[in-house]
Amino acid sequence: MTGSDARDAELKKELDATLRARGDLGEEYDSALIESFLEKVDQRIDDAVGRRVRRQLAEHQMVSARDSRSPGSADSWGERFGFGIVSLVLAVPLSAIGGGVADLPGLLVAWAGIAGVNVIQAARTTPGLFRGRREMP
C-alpha cells in the first residue's frame, strides 16, 4: 500500500466511524459529527498541499543553487586567484626540470604549458573572454 492508499484507507475508516457514531448518537449530533469529519478532511488537504509546496520550494532552491554555481559566480575570483598561485608555485620546479633537461627549448616548452593551462582556465571561468568586442553604433 502506498502512502496515498494508506491515507485514503484511514480517511475511509474515519468516515465509517463518523457514520457509526451518527447511528449511536442520533440526528441531533449530525452537524457536530459532520463538522468534525470535515475538519479532518481539511487537515489532510492542508497537509498534502503543504508537502507539495515544500517539495516545489526545495526543487526551486536546488535549481537556484545550481545556477549560482555557474562559472561567472561570486566565488570565481577566489578560484582564479588560487589557480594562479598554484601555477606560479608549480612553475618553479617545471622550469628547473625543463631547463635542466633541454636547456632553453625545455624552459620554453615548460612555460608554454603553464601559459596554456592558465589560458584554458581563464576561458573556462570567464565566459566571452576571447570573443571580440562589438563596436557600438
Side-chain angles (χ1 to χ4, degrees), residues 52-118:
R52 190 170 295 147
V53 167
R54 284 190 300 275
R55 184 177 342 121
Q56 288 177 346
L57 181 61
E59 289 171 1
H60 179 70
Q61 288 173 341
M62 285 176 43
V63 168
S64 295
R66 259 188 245 129
D67 290 345
S68 71
R69 299 290 304 169
S70 65
S73 66
D75 65 340
S76 65
W77 182 86
E79 182 181 345
R80 289 189 308 242
F81 182 74
F83 194 84
I85 294 295
V86 169
S87 291
L88 288 175
V89 168
L90 291 177
V92 173
L94 289 174
S95 297
I97 293 169
V101 171
D103 294 324
L104 183 60
L107 187 62
L108 292 176
V109 167
W111 276 97
I114 293 166
V117 167
N118 280 281

Side-chain angles (χ1 to χ4, degrees), residues 1 3-4 6 17-18 22 30 37 49 52 64 71 75 83 85 88 92 95 101 106 110 121 124-125 128 133 135 137:
M1 209 184 282
S4 176
T18 301
R22 180 180 183 258
D30 277 356
F37 178 73
V49 169
R52 190 170 295 147
S64 295
D75 65 340
F83 194 84
I85 294 295
L88 288 175
V92 173
S95 297
V101 171
Q121 175 68 5
R124 188 184 72 80
T125 58
R133 291 187 182 229
E135 294 183 23

